[in-house]
Amino acid sequence: MKAVQFLIMSFFLPVLLMAQSVSDPHFEVRLEQPLFPGKDGPLILFDQHHYNAFSLSGQYKGFADVAKAEGYLLEDYKRLISAENLAKAKIFVTVNALSHPSDWDLPNPTIYSEEEIEALYRWVHDDGGGLLIITDQMPSAGAVGLLAERFGFNVINGVTHRMDGQAELFNRTIGNLLPSAVTNREGRRVNQLRCWVGSGFIAPEEAEVFSVLGDAYRLYLPSKTKDMEHAIQPDIPYISGSNLANGALLKCGNGRVCIFADASPFTALLKGINSEKRGMNHVDGQDHIHLLRNILEWLSQL
């Protein structure tokens, strides 16, 4: 029952995080040996044009704090994606895009047009851009589905559920955190991650997967948000988390792509009336800053 209650409370992640959480005012970022001490690093465009549920001054302030401390330049991107606008940036970040701001029932169609998807693909493949796709549970997984598919990723538009109700830890002891370019970097080794309900995907064969769900998880596939409001109904279909990833890297032509299927690890939030920590400020997430720094550096091809 505890596991069921946890899933119910966590299902409406974008709304819950916006309505019941705030950026942790005590979260401070002090980096040793930042990549760009002169604050003159490459430009990161942060998508805000596709009903994205997070902002750099709100729930993703922790992300912004890390990127700025590293010396990257950040810009809120509030228009259609085009080759002209991408040309000035090195990294494009999309976090929890939504098909619609309030209607989350199926279908959750792509929010990115064919023209935008192709512009991003060409910018990555031909021009050497770095794309960071951070998605989450239904409905955001559906909204980003065709964009991820263009790079060979099949994102499942569902809701992850750890069946034993325990904390969603990904570490080397359990075996669901794998060696990779972003987890094995010398000086910033990542030994553990903590997630809070997301989604999963099937990665292309050439991708480098660095975190996996495994058979400890089910991925539920509701068709309506009300199907998960009060309990996990017995008729809600699900698939096993076996062979599903939730974090991966891909070299694509001259550029690179990273995809992660849970937005929480890159936040630093205080959630609910008890101000529970979530993200990079959580005791289980002490390596999250390392992971974020490693991902951005890998995407930058420094």
Side-chain angles (χ1 to χ4, degrees):
M1 179 60 69
K2 181 179 179 181
V4 172
Q5 291 173 340
F6 177 78
L7 178 59
I8 296 165
M9 293 175 63
S10 302
F11 177 67
F12 298 105
L13 180 63
V15 165
L16 284 176
L17 286 182
M18 286 191 288
Q20 300 182 10
S21 65
V22 295
S23 179
D24 185 349
H26 304 295
F27 178 69
E28 296 184 5
V29 180
R30 294 187 177 91
L31 304 183
E32 295 183 3
Q33 299 180 325
L35 289 174
F36 309 102
K39 308 297 183 183
D40 57 351
L43 176 63
I44 299 174
L45 296 179
F46 189 85
D47 190 13
Q48 288 284 271
H49 187 69
H50 299 89
Y51 301 125
N52 305 85
F54 299 94
S55 69
L56 293 174
S57 60
Q59 282 69 30
Y60 249 53
K61 183 178 181 298
F63 177 101
D65 288 345
V66 173
K68 289 177 181 178
E70 194 76 279
Y72 291 96
L73 304 177
L74 286 174
E75 179 183 313
D76 283 321
Y77 190 83
K78 300 180 178 180
R79 49 195 178 277
L80 291 173
I81 298 168
S82 68
E84 179 182 2
N85 291 324
L86 290 172
K88 64 182 180 179
K90 185 59 181 178
I91 299 174
F92 187 91
V93 180
T94 171
V95 181
N96 275 9
L98 297 169
S99 304
H100 188 277
S102 58
D103 183 3
W104 293 356
D105 293 342
L106 292 184
N108 303 132
T110 179
I111 187 61
Y112 295 96
S113 69
E114 292 182 7
E115 292 77 13
E116 289 181 301
I117 292 172
E118 196 60 24
L120 276 168
Y121 181 83
R122 290 300 166 194
W123 174 69
V124 171
H125 187 276
D126 299 343
D127 301 335
L131 174 62
L132 176 53
I133 301 173
I134 301 175
T135 187
D136 221 302
Q137 58 204 8
M138 174 199 175
S140 61
V144 80
L146 286 185
L147 173 59
E149 184 180 303
R150 184 66 178 89
F151 294 92
F153 295 94
N154 180 6
V155 179
I156 311 300
N157 190 34
V159 185
T160 57
H161 171 51
R162 186 176 172 95
M163 290 183 290
D164 61 9
Q166 299 300 307
E168 294 186 54
L169 298 179
F170 295 80
N171 59 47
R172 296 169 190 264
T173 300
I174 297 173
N176 51 5
L177 183 69
L178 308 177
S180 73
V182 297
T183 53
N184 273 15
R185 185 193 184 281
E186 184 177 355
R188 291 204 298 262
R189 180 181 169 93
V190 177
N191 294 308
Q192 177 171 282
L193 301 178
R194 169 76 186 269
C195 290
W196 285 267
V197 183
S199 186
F201 55 83
I202 300 170
E205 184 176 345
E206 61 272 24
E208 182 179 20
V209 173
F210 62 85
S211 60
V212 296
L213 295 177
D215 57 13
Y217 282 84
R218 284 178 177 173
L219 194 62
Y220 282 88
L221 305 169
S223 60
K224 298 181 181 297
T225 54
K226 70 178 182 64
D227 293 343
M228 306 290 282
E229 286 180 358
H230 304 293
I232 300 176
Q233 301 299 322
D235 59 342
I236 297 177
Y238 64 85
I239 59 175
S240 171
S242 296
N243 302 315
L244 293 181
N246 64 343
L249 310 171
L250 177 70
K251 293 182 178 180
C252 176
N254 295 321
R256 296 180 175 184
V257 179
C258 176
I259 181 169
F260 200 79
D262 189 331
S264 297
F266 306 114
T267 62
L269 300 176
L270 299 178
K271 183 178 182 298
I273 59 174
N274 295 322
S275 295
E276 297 175 1
K277 293 183 177 181
R278 175 170 291 189
M280 293 181 285
N281 57 344
H282 194 279
V283 65
D284 291 335
Q286 296 182 15
D287 288 347
H288 289 193
I289 292 178
H290 287 343
L291 179 65
L292 178 53
R293 293 181 71 189
N294 295 347
I295 288 173
L296 294 178
E297 181 179 7
W298 185 81
L299 289 172
S300 299
Q301 301 190 56
L302 299 175

